[in-house]
Structures are given as C-alpha cells and as structure tokens.
Amino acid sequence: MADYTGMPVAMASRDRHSMVYLERCKGTNAVTLAIEVGAHIKLATSAVGRAYIASQEPEEQAKILSVLKEHEGDNWSKVLPGIETAIESYERLGYCTSFTEWKNNVNAVAVPYIPKDGSPVIAFNCGGPSQTLTRDWIENDVAPRLVELVRRLSTVAP
C-alpha cells in the first residue's frame, strides 16, 4: 500500500486520548509525514483514531466520547461532527477519513482491524499532504484498497 500510494501506511492502537503508532511503512513520495513508531496522534481528529472509535460498540463509543468531550473542552463542538461523520462513514463504507482536521494540509483514511480473538482493535491508516493525497483519490482508490487490505488480513489473522 505504501509503495502504491507513495504515502506512509501505519498501524496504531489506542492509548487514552490518542493513538500510538505500532508500525509504519514509509512511502516513496518525497513529501511525506515524518511520524515514527511510538508517536501519539489525536484520537478525536485523526482518521486512525476515528476508525478506532467507529469500530467500538455503541456503549463503548459513548464512554469514549464522554472522555473526549472533557479532554477537548471548548473545542468539542468543532470535533464532534467529524467523529459522527466518521462513524457513519465506517458503517456505510468501511473506512474513516480526516480531511485537514487532524493537521492542516494533511488528509488520511483509516480502517480498523478487529481481531477475532478479542485482542484490542488496531487501525490501519494512510495519510499524506492534502495536495497529493486528495479527497477524490482517497474516496475512489486509496480507501477501497485499504478496506480490502484489512479484509484480507482478517481472513488470515486471529
């Protein structure tokens, strides 16, 4: 996926109010995000965080949203619509996005992997500069490929 898009592709898991990168494949594009393994990114505004939230059962989603509301404070009214859109997108299309909401000029798409053995959810994402990784490219090419990648993983992993 990183080779195809030229953008970094990563997997992350939740750590309180953020997602922590567990692994990352660098893309070949000269202008990419320099986020390394161990980095924390916002749960509420990143595609990978939204994918995690969207993958949870409604009761757990409500708990997460309550914690995030307190954590985000006055910014909550700007953050909540993006999360709600991501949950709807996941239910309808199987992926979540963030278009310049996590960082200005950064677009990303993410898909949660829900292990069958009850292990914690891991989300996979692909992100990059918005001028390169456009909304159109994400919605019409990158997102379906990422959904398929996680679907294939689900057929071989626990």
Side-chain angles (χ1 to χ4, degrees):
M1 188 76 178
D3 289 341
Y4 174 76
T5 62
M7 302 292 143
V9 175
M11 55 187 266
S13 188
R14 182 175 175 205
D15 181 20
R16 299 182 319 163
H17 306 111
S18 62
M19 295 294 284
V20 62
Y21 270 30
L22 304 173
E23 188 60 72
R24 182 182 92 118
C25 294
K26 294 180 181 180
T28 56
N29 190 310
V31 181
T32 62
L33 304 174
I35 303 172
E36 299 298 331
V37 170
H40 285 74
I41 64 173
K42 290 189 78 160
L43 182 65
T45 55
S46 68
V48 73
R50 291 172 174 177
Y52 176 87
I53 294 167
S55 73
Q56 302 301 300
E57 295 295 327
E59 184 176 301
E60 183 61 21
Q61 280 180 3
K63 289 178 188 176
I64 294 168
L65 294 180
S66 176
V67 168
L68 289 176
K69 180 178 181 179
E70 183 177 329
H71 179 71
E72 292 290 334
D74 292 341
N75 199 37
W76 183 241
S77 63
K78 295 176 185 172
V79 171
L80 180 59
I83 295 171
E84 291 172 334
T85 298
I87 292 169
E88 190 274 332
S89 173
Y90 175 65
E91 290 171 354
R92 194 168 49 88
L93 303 168
Y95 64 84
C96 299
T97 56
S98 175
F99 296 113
T100 69
E101 296 163 281
W102 171 65
K103 293 282 185 189
N104 197 20
N105 298 319
V106 173
N107 288 342
V109 58
V111 176
Y113 165 65
I114 305 167
K116 296 174 194 142
D117 67 0
S119 297
V121 170
I122 296 172
F124 288 79
N125 80 326
C126 179
S130 58
Q131 68 270 21
T132 306
L133 191 58
T134 63
R135 177 187 294 262
D136 182 64
W137 190 25
I138 286 174
E139 292 175 346
N140 294 304
D141 188 13
V142 178
R145 288 176 186 267
L146 191 59
V147 168
E148 178 59 17
L149 182 148
V150 174
R151 188 201 63 75
R152 285 193 324 260
L153 175 63
S154 297
T155 65
V156 296

